[in-house]
Amino acid sequence: MNDKEIAEIRRRFRPDRTNITHVRGCYVNASREIVTTFDHSLALAGELEQEQYLALLKRVLSGAQGKNLLDISFRTAQVADSDEHRLLSSLRDTALGDEAVLDTFYRLVAQSLQLETGYVILLAHDVYDVPYRGRDGGGLEDASENQFSYVVCSICPVKPMKPKLRYDGGDFCLQAADVVMAAPELGFLFPAFDGRSTNLYNALCYTRSAADVHEDFIQAVFRTEPPMAADDQRETFQSLLSGALDEQCSYGVIQEVHGQLCGLIAEHKASREPEPLALTKQQVEGLLAQCGVAEPELAKFDAQFDEQFGADAVLPPANIVDPSRLQLNTPDVTIRVNPERGDLVETRVLDGARYILIRADEAVEVNGVSIRIAGDDRPE
């Protein structure tokens, strides 16, 4: 799914646009026990309650692709005949109306997912009459090309709120602690909405944290190898550069690599291209060559890339660099540099000692106090 298709489905989660009539679910306690199940009718709920349920479901279609939104692909054999695909398809095909199917799904999640607190599994089914879109991008809301039937799952931690003083009848009293559903920790959409139509070979998985993709959950529900978490991709790429570039891993090279990747991110954002930006191994190696990395180091990078990521892996640049930060670290000093002014920094060896030099043409402050640099005779 691309950004436009995700946004199109997100717009469904409003009381005046959705065909969701019920929200099914269960509460799982911290011991992974299913305490209770429920079936809430949105048609009988108040407007505020409807909006809150839909907001929790909509949240699993938010965030950055490749970081919070992960593409899950099923093998042909799985789609043809597998327990995991059959279960997800049954949830959709029965519109969440089969209690045995729901119970199987609840137990599968409860056995595979451990959070710090108890959590609620929310499930909803929707049927979307997909409006016709012309080649010019214009659409006719009343002219439907096809229907997109899907289920969305949102898994929300249950957290207690601290007791607070509230005003009651002319005096203040202590309000008992409430237990509320927090924002979703993870969830998914099945099937995928690709090319504005149903794609049974894919699902879209959501994770709130870029550091944790909940591997056990993905393996249990989708029976597929979990994608590497965005934070792990960045750390692995950084380690790969250090190991493969060896003597060529200088400040100048790394700063140039950072600048090139940030430039690609900026160009992609400016183009408004809905497909997510991702680089193959060959494209990354081409970028390194442009930054001055020699052939022997490129060959080493090639081999280590295959070991760490896999030869066919693609890397979203936004997962391996932070365009807003250029940072140098030593055990005792951290230097943060405006990414657009990396030229102000250089590294040198003086009298056998290594130094990081920062050109200071503008005012210099220490703990908010403007200081003068000894030997500088220029007027303030």
Side-chain angles (χ1 to χ4, degrees), residues 27-208:
Y27 169 61
V28 181
N29 66 19
S31 300
R32 301 190 186 186
E33 299 168 331
I34 298 174
V35 177
T36 184
T37 63
F38 56 84
D39 179 1
H40 291 330
S41 170
L42 289 191
L44 300 178
E47 184 176 351
L48 181 58
E49 185 178 352
Q50 290 182 41
E51 291 176 350
Q52 290 180 339
Y53 271 121
L54 292 174
L56 290 172
L57 294 167
K58 177 181 178 179
R59 189 70 174 266
V60 301
L61 297 176
S62 61
Q65 290 198 65
K67 183 173 292 186
N68 308 103
L69 296 174
L70 310 173
D71 181 58
I72 302 294
S73 297
F74 295 102
R75 301 183 306 277
T76 301
Q78 285 182 287
V79 177
D81 183 19
S82 69
D83 291 340
E84 60 274 11
H85 200 276
R86 192 177 299 111
L87 176 60
L88 294 171
S89 296
S90 295
L91 290 172
R92 183 188 76 135
D93 296 341
T94 63
L96 306 178
D98 189 315
E99 298 297 333
V101 171
L102 285 168
D103 182 68
T104 300
F105 178 76
Y106 295 153
R107 293 185 183 280
L108 180 67
V109 175
Q111 292 167 6
S112 64
L113 181 63
Q114 178 78 60
L115 299 182
E116 293 181 0
T117 65
Y119 55 86
V120 172
I121 302 172
L122 296 178
L123 282 169
H125 172 262
D126 185 27
V127 178
Y128 175 34
D129 290 320
V130 183
Y132 172 78
R133 289 283 186 270
R135 292 183 179 179
D136 60 354
L140 298 173
E141 293 296 327
D142 296 331
S144 176
E145 284 187 296
N146 54 70
Q147 285 190 329
F148 175 54
S149 172
Y150 64 95
V151 291
V152 60
C153 174
S154 179
I155 299 178
C156 306
V158 173
K159 298 182 178 181
M161 295 182 66
K162 294 181 179 180
K164 297 180 180 179
L165 290 172
R166 64 181 177 87
Y167 185 73
D168 183 20
D171 199 359
F172 286 91
C173 61
L174 188 65
Q175 179 180 349
D178 291 326
V179 177
V180 298
M181 276 192 285
E185 183 70 22
L186 70 160
F188 66 85
L189 174 84
F190 174 83
F193 185 59
D194 286 333
R196 305 189 68 243
S197 60
T198 302
N199 179 3
L200 293 172
Y201 286 81
N202 286 79
L204 187 69
C205 187
Y206 166 82
T207 176
R208 183 187 63 82

